[in-house]
Amino acid sequence: MDREPILRHFDAVVESRPSDALAQGNRGYCLLKLGREDEAVAAYQRASEIGRDEPAHAYDLACLYVQLERINDAIAAFQAALHIDPDFAPA
């Protein structure tokens, strides 16, 4: 699957709606699938900052950190998700 057009779409969405945490997260996912891990981390971090009231964004960041073997960062992000919502089952 060619993710470049999808990434360009989310780049445009993020540019026009910079406070859209979901678009930031989706952009991060595309970047990850394209092997652009550092950019993916930045996008997921931004999604987590923007959507600080939604535990799913911190959880997604935590999962990315696990995948990248950044365990201390993953633990902190999982804890952030649980701080937002102690009943958030995935975390």
Side-chain angles (χ1 to χ4, degrees):
M1 171 187 272
D2 183 13
R3 288 185 172 80
E4 286 291 340
I6 299 167
L7 177 58
R8 284 192 298 275
H9 167 77
F10 284 114
D11 283 343
V13 172
V14 165
E15 186 174 322
S16 68
R17 296 189 316 232
S19 62
D20 187 331
L22 184 58
Q24 285 283 356
N26 287 332
R27 181 176 179 273
Y29 179 79
C30 289
L31 288 163
L32 180 63
K33 291 300 180 178
L34 289 167
R36 296 162 58 179
E37 295 172 348
D38 291 340
E39 292 174 87
V41 168
Y44 277 109
Q45 287 172 333
R46 184 71 181 129
S48 185
E49 292 166 7
I50 296 167
R52 64 180 142 272
D53 294 334
E54 291 292 330
H57 299 298
Y59 175 78
D60 290 344
L61 178 60
C63 291
L64 174 57
Y65 284 144
V66 167
Q67 186 174 348
L68 299 175
E69 299 180 1
R70 293 174 53 175
I71 302 307
N72 290 335
D73 291 328
I75 291 168
F78 281 128
Q79 289 173 334
L82 290 172
H83 179 74
I84 296 165
D85 181 358
D87 297 323
F88 187 65

